[in-house]
Amino acid sequence: MNAIRTTCAYCGVGCGIAATVTGEREVTIAGDPEHPANRGSLCSKGTHLGETVGLEGRLLNPEIGGKRTSWDRAIRHVARKFADTIARHGPDSVAFYVSGQLLTEDYYVANKLMKGFIGSANIDTNSRLCMASAVAGHVRAFGEDVVPVSYDDLDQADLIVLVGSNTAWCHPVIYQRIMAARAARGTKLVVIDPRRTETCEGADLHLKLRPGSDVALMNGLLAYCSDNGVLDRAFLGQSVLEPEGFWDNLQHGGDLWSTAATCDVTPADLRALYDMFARTPRTVTLFSQGINQSLCGTDQVNAIINVHLATGRIGKPGAGPFSITGQPNAMGGREVGGLASTLAAHRDFAPENVEEVGRFWAAPRMATSPGLKAVDLFRAVGEGRIKALWIMATNPAVSLPDAGKVRDALAGCPFVVVSDCVADTDTTRFAHVKLPATAWGEKDGTVTNSERTISRQRALFAAPGEARPDWWIVTQVARAMGWRNAFAYDRPADIYREHARLSTYRNDSARLFDIGAHAGLTNAAYDALEPFRWGGVPFAHGRFPTPDGKARLVSVQQAPLGKSLPKWPFTLNTGRYRDQWHTMTRTGLSPKLSQHRREPLVEMHPLDAEMHGIDEGDLVRVATPQGESMFRATIASTQRRGEIFAPIHWTDRQSSGGRAGLLPQPLVDPHSGQPGFKATPARVEKLAFEWRGFLIARTLPDPVTAEYFTKVRVGQGWLVELAGNGDPALLAKALLPRGERAENVDRARGNLRIAVLSGSRLAAALYLTRDGKLPDRDWLIGQLAVATSPSSVELLAGRPTALLPDRGPIVCACFDVGLKTIVEAIGSQRLIDVAAVGQALSAGTNCGSCRPAIARLIGECREAALG
Ligand code: SF4
């Protein structure tokens, strides 16, 4: 069987995958050794993509009002509703909210329909939440949204500075490349992050700075470079416009000691960073959500770019500022103009651009100014200004800040269309029309990764049920609205060729984004398209896509730093887990991936926990002015005092309260419109439930009713963590299936244990306690898979009669190696590095995502041994 070369569904690294279809909805996944992004490597998420391609939970038929309908009816209904709304209230009364999960061809037609034919720019994307500040920063500095660096530069750099990026978890293959560069050529690594994440393991320096003080740190670095003769005066003179007063503003109050105080780091550490940077021309500064997801994200981006422009460290091998995107095709969306603030093909809304694009599209009604950005767009839905909304491939009821208000807005919107591959999400519940879209394994088109490499995504399976590609759905609606000729595409290649033509149309080298060489690609050539990076080495000749050819230094000042308030003593930061993706609609299907973190945890500093009477494993309520959610507390000295961290992934579908999206404030950066997710005032309160426990079950009970629950996939079933009040027997009645039962109810001690058999197999087991101990979950989970259940004595004890080693929580998902196994092996076998642990236990030898965690365990064991 030949492998199909495609790309990973998840992050912006854009790894190539060699997928071998082995059966109906079955596929073996391997890294594509030929792909320039990953050269055969994959992280845990990519490695386990094969577990997510089944049809469980898929939306397979169009629905109107919750009832199955035909495509023909659904298309006509959507077209008529949009046309009526536009006729009565104007083009700005409708909107599309799209996604970095769409392919470029999907994005292109959605953007063309809204901006050229409906005549509004009310199309925005969930990429607004992840990299809009980088886009705005690039445009301010370079004149065009161009990422000036590639992954090859990471291989060639002598110093890599990671700012606001937990690369080891969020872009693991990039982290592996960095580690490889360190091993091969001794590349130095500095991490600037308020949290000590696993990315810091093995770094030469970690600056645990005060959140939001990045502008002070970068301005201080630039002042240091200026004072120490590190500026590239020739490059500045030739290629960079320095605004009047720029250097005076920069020096204002910026000596190293006061900068260190502002950033809350030691002067020695700050000087170490500045010295390293000053003496290392080949430096890449890679940044991600810690920079972008801020109320001053664009200024933070420009503070980083300023340093690179002023030192001439851009357009050269191994040097430059590098924004790495969160989503697989955020960059493709930027290229087509799928943001409300851009028009198409890297053009803005300048009148000549509107005229050019209108002419190219033969558009009857061009949008002439930017539309509503994500947060404002949903505010407009809530205020009744948007009356018809089409959401494609995203889950804003969970992912937008102040998600409770977003739900209210959706509930009140007269007409909501959702096209998605998943039937039941927190967002589809508000849909008047649901349109079944193809999923990753069925999609065909192109994506662009963080380094501007365009790759083919290829279908592995035929579309199931009546699912259709997003480009097809949009095109059909556009035709039904009367624009048949303008949307007469038969295949993605037709759209790609038009996109390529538009990129080069009247370009005359004004914009770097120009893939006009592909405008005449045949269908066969499109099918065989190899990954290629557009733009070459941007700015290599010191020319920038501005009217005068010069880049801009942008004068930015450190914004006042927030103080903790008596009512809201904590600052909440939200982000990703290593093995989950967004709202878990895909990764949540994988038992392997669920092992890494089985519940949403809120991480807090030990002294904060002590002050609030919170112990490891307690359930807590995290409240902000926007709402409240429940998490299990974990005590982590990796957090700064007063700062807590919670994951973004859990939704109402997987939990009763672990939805972090309800908590952030709906405030945005003034330039980019990107919301700040990293610094929400919050408070934490310990929750007292009468009992706690867990259920394992081959089939998930529906609904799960408990004050607190979270559910995750495990091999052959589900694990549901529970806590609540009242009579546990009632819960047992509600959750457990019929069947032969073994019970142990100890009212005096407040323990309830019930196992239910179906034939010879374990069907489900419930363990509840008031204040006692609960059995180890892993052995019990394993019993769901065996053909003959262990004895009822063993099931009720929650362990086999013969003692089993306790592995602890899983660290290596590929080989199921637990934390306690690793720690034991480090001590008993004197394992001194990650490679030695790999040799002894195989842990970390497949995808490598757990290597930073293993490095951290080795460090902790070493510290413990030293006393
Ligand atoms: S780093 Fe992991 S999640 Fe990201 S593209 Fe590569 S395999 Fe996929």
Side-chain angles (χ1 to χ4, degrees):
M1 269 172 291
N2 284 339
I4 298 171
R5 292 175 66 206
T6 184
T7 43
C8 178
Y10 299 117
C11 82
V13 178
C15 295
I17 281 179
T20 309
V21 176
T22 52
E24 201 183 325
R25 309 300 302 188
E26 281 177 13
V27 62
T28 304
I29 299 287
D32 178 357
E34 306 292 319
H35 198 285
N38 56 317
R39 301 171 190 151
S41 299
L42 292 177
C43 77
S44 49
K45 290 188 287 287
T47 299
H48 295 106
L49 260 167
E51 291 186 17
T52 70
V53 296
L55 296 184
E56 181 187 335
R58 285 291 298 273
L59 177 65
L60 295 174
N61 306 101
E63 290 177 16
I64 298 176
K67 296 208 171 64
R68 184 171 169 176
T69 188
S70 66
W71 266 114
D72 196 36
R73 264 221 169 107
I75 295 287
R76 275 191 282 120
H77 183 65
V78 172
R80 197 181 60 245
K81 283 285 205 179
F82 267 80
D84 286 352
T85 308
I86 295 162
R88 291 175 60 190
H89 305 284
D92 287 333
S93 65
V94 302
F96 295 166
Y97 186 62
V98 300
S99 164
Q101 305 283 313
L102 293 178
L103 304 186
T104 300
E105 291 76 3
D106 305 326
Y107 247 129
Y108 180 88
V109 289
N111 190 55
K112 178 177 175 180
L113 172 58
M114 181 54 80
K115 290 184 183 150
F117 291 76
I118 289 176
S120 168
N122 284 345
I123 171 170
D124 211 37
T125 159
N126 62 6
S127 301
R128 175 76 56 195
L129 315 183
C130 108
M131 52 63 200
S133 292
V135 174
H138 289 158
V139 172
R140 288 206 300 188
F142 309 141
E144 183 181 345
D145 174 26
V146 176
V147 173
V149 178
S150 74
Y151 301 154
D152 294 343
D153 290 304
L154 296 170
D155 304 336
Q156 297 169 43
D158 294 320
L159 169 65
I160 297 171
V161 182
L162 303 178
V163 197
S165 169
N166 185 2
T167 321
W169 277 22
C170 301
H171 300 98
V173 167
I174 289 299
Y175 187 73
Q176 288 173 21
R177 266 180 98 145
I178 293 171
M179 287 297 121
R182 274 170 77 65
R185 61 199 306 276
T187 307
K188 296 280 180 220
L189 178 65
V190 177
V191 180
I192 301 172
D193 195 316
R195 303 170 62 219
R196 185 171 175 84
T197 64
E198 283 180 7
T199 300
C200 304
E201 301 307 324
D204 296 284
L205 179 65
H206 170 216
L207 277 89
K208 205 173 177 180
L209 86 171
R210 193 192 309 277
S213 62
D214 303 77
V215 169
L217 186 139
M218 286 295 158
N219 278 357
L221 172 58
L222 185 50
Y224 187 88
C225 291
S226 171
D227 294 344
N228 289 278
V230 185
L231 301 189
D232 186 336
R233 295 280 174 204
F235 184 75
L236 275 172
Q238 212 175 1
S239 300
V240 183
L241 204 67
E242 301 167 54
E244 206 171 315
F246 177 86
W247 295 103
D248 296 337
N249 290 338
L250 185 75
Q251 300 289 359
H252 183 68
D255 67 88
L256 190 134
W257 289 267
S258 55
T259 303
T262 303
C263 300
D264 193 24
V265 297
T266 66
D269 280 350
L270 195 62
R271 180 184 283 277
L273 165 69
Y274 287 3
D275 278 347
M276 241 188 266
F277 189 97
R279 66 171 182 263
T280 317
R282 285 182 178 229
T283 295
V284 171
T285 306
L286 183 149
F287 58 95
S288 187
Q289 314 310 21
I291 287 296
N292 294 336
Q293 290 182 333
S294 159
L295 302 186
C296 49
T298 308
D299 282 355
Q300 294 182 164
V301 169
N302 284 110
I304 292 169
I305 295 174
N306 283 344
V307 177
H308 279 271
L309 285 174
T311 53
R313 293 173 184 182
I314 192 164
K316 295 175 183 151
F322 194 174
S323 151
I324 188 152
T325 58
Q327 297 213 70
N329 197 30
M331 291 284 277
R334 285 150 73 165
E335 288 157 8
V336 304
L339 290 155
S341 40
T342 57
L343 177 58
H346 280 201
R347 291 167 167 92
D348 63 15
F349 285 90
E352 63 276 17
N353 289 335
V354 173
E355 191 274 325
E356 275 175 18
V357 175
R359 181 189 299 248
F360 179 86
W361 281 340
R365 189 194 249 170
M366 281 296 293
T368 54
S369 58
L372 294 168
K373 298 173 186 142
V375 171
D376 289 339
L377 189 152
F378 279 89
R379 191 173 289 129
V381 174
E383 292 169 359
R385 288 181 281 132
I386 302 284
K387 299 173 197 305
L389 174 66
W390 186 350
I391 297 165
M392 302 179 201
T394 184
N395 198 355
V398 179
S399 51
L400 274 171
D402 202 3
K405 284 250 170 60
V406 172
R407 288 163 196 236
D408 294 344
L410 290 172
C413 185
F415 188 58
V416 178
V417 182
V418 178
S419 37
D420 207 311
C421 56
V422 180
D424 185 20
T425 71
D426 291 37
T427 297
T428 57
R429 295 207 161 186
F430 296 98
H432 299 98
V433 178
K434 290 200 255 182
L435 303 174
T438 44
W440 170 74
E442 303 134 20
K443 285 168 88 89
D444 193 35
T446 56
V447 291
T448 308
N449 72 4
S450 293
E451 59 158 2
R452 292 172 276 111
T453 293
I454 295 180
S455 305
R456 287 281 278 106
Q457 199 170 98
R458 296 183 172 95
L460 313 178
F461 307 106
E466 295 185 77
R468 296 286 181 272
D470 289 280
W471 68 264
W472 183 89
I473 302 172
V474 173
T475 299
Q476 295 304 307
V477 170
R479 291 184 191 187
M481 290 178 80
W483 299 302
R484 178 161 291 279
N485 290 341
F487 291 87
Y489 309 108
D490 291 329
R491 55 181 68 78
D494 295 340
I495 304 169
Y496 181 79
R497 283 187 285 266
E498 183 178 308
H499 170 51
R501 276 204 313 280
L502 179 56
S503 75
T504 203
Y505 180 66
R506 296 199 183 169
N507 190 335
D508 301 327
S509 303
R511 295 173 301 280
L512 262 77
F513 177 64
D514 184 341
I515 55 168
H518 286 181
L521 223 54
T522 62
N523 293 338
Y526 176 79
D527 284 343
L529 192 66
E530 287 291 320
F532 73 98
R533 190 187 308 135
W534 62 261
V537 179
F539 319 139
H541 303 296
R543 273 200 71 77
F544 292 83
T546 54
D548 58 11
K550 290 187 172 190
R552 269 66 176 151
L553 291 178
V554 180
S555 202
V556 290
Q557 298 297 318
Q558 175 62 49
L561 292 162
K563 293 199 172 68
S564 86
L565 308 165
K567 194 173 170 203
W568 310 106
F570 287 99
T571 301
L572 170 68
N573 176 0
T574 61
R576 285 183 181 162
Y577 276 165
R578 187 190 79 190
D579 288 355
Q580 292 297 348
W581 177 257
H582 286 194
T583 58
M584 293 167 69
T585 48
R586 264 188 314 229
T587 46
L589 299 171
S590 163
K592 285 274 189 194
L593 294 177
S594 297
Q595 293 185 99
H596 179 239
R597 292 283 186 276
R598 284 178 171 156
E599 273 184 289
L601 306 176
V602 61
E603 296 170 30
M604 61 193 311
H605 190 277
L607 294 176
D608 289 331
E610 195 182 325
M611 237 172 87
H612 288 75
I614 293 166
D615 290 321
E616 178 75 25
D618 281 345
L619 286 169
V620 297
R621 175 186 296 117
V622 175
T624 72
Q626 289 67 242
E628 50 186 54
S629 295
M630 285 184 277
F631 301 94
R632 198 172 293 284
T634 186
I635 315 302
S637 53
T638 48
Q639 288 294 123
R640 285 168 52 94
R641 288 290 312 269
E643 291 161 25
I644 53 175
F645 175 85
I648 59 173
H649 309 292
W650 270 261
T651 71
D652 278 351
R653 307 279 73 74
Q654 300 110 356
S655 74
S656 61
R659 301 153 302 178
L662 297 185
L663 303 174
Q665 49 209 343
L667 302 178
V668 300
D669 175 272
H671 306 285
S672 67
Q674 178 158 357
F677 286 96
K678 300 292 184 186
T680 305
R683 69 170 180 267
V684 182
E685 297 152 357
K686 181 170 170 169
L687 289 167
F689 289 114
E690 290 173 15
W691 46 260
R692 64 197 166 81
F694 66 92
L695 168 82
I696 54 163
R698 288 224 304 273
T699 308
L700 189 71
D702 186 22
V704 178
T705 45
E707 278 89 346
Y708 171 83
F709 81 83
T710 59
K711 62 184 192 194
V712 289
R713 273 272 179 204
V714 293
Q716 308 292 317
W718 296 85
L719 167 68
V720 184
E721 295 289 339
L722 297 157
N725 301 315
D727 184 358
L730 291 178
L731 189 78
K733 200 170 163 197
L735 294 184
L736 289 171
R738 289 170 194 276
E740 186 191 333
R741 285 187 174 215
E743 289 190 23
N744 182 344
V745 181
D746 180 347
R747 291 193 192 283
R749 292 203 175 119
N751 290 334
L752 177 149
R753 296 182 175 196
I754 303 174
V756 182
L757 301 182
S758 167
S760 62
R761 294 189 66 184
L762 177 65
L766 178 68
Y767 302 82
L768 300 176
T769 183
R770 287 192 192 279
D771 44 24
K773 280 191 100 176
L774 289 164
D776 177 54
R777 287 143 178 85
D778 284 315
W779 180 77
L780 285 161
I781 288 166
Q783 304 320 305
L784 288 173
V786 300
T788 306
S789 154
S791 71
S792 54
V793 173
E794 289 173 309
L795 282 176
L796 294 178
R799 59 180 165 76
T801 326
L803 216 54
L804 267 188
D806 175 6
R807 294 184 301 174
I810 294 296
V811 174
C812 172
C814 294
F815 292 107
D816 288 348
V817 188
L819 182 144
K820 288 187 182 171
T821 310
I822 295 171
V823 168
E824 196 278 325
I826 291 169
S828 64
Q829 299 180 45
R830 297 173 192 246
L831 307 176
I832 54 164
D833 56 27
V834 175
V837 172
Q839 250 180 359
L841 303 170
S842 298
T845 58
N846 187 35
C847 75
S849 296
C850 62
R851 280 183 210 139
I854 297 170
R856 173 169 285 181
L857 290 174
I858 293 167
E860 286 171 2
C861 290
R862 192 177 299 132
E863 272 176 34
L866 292 172

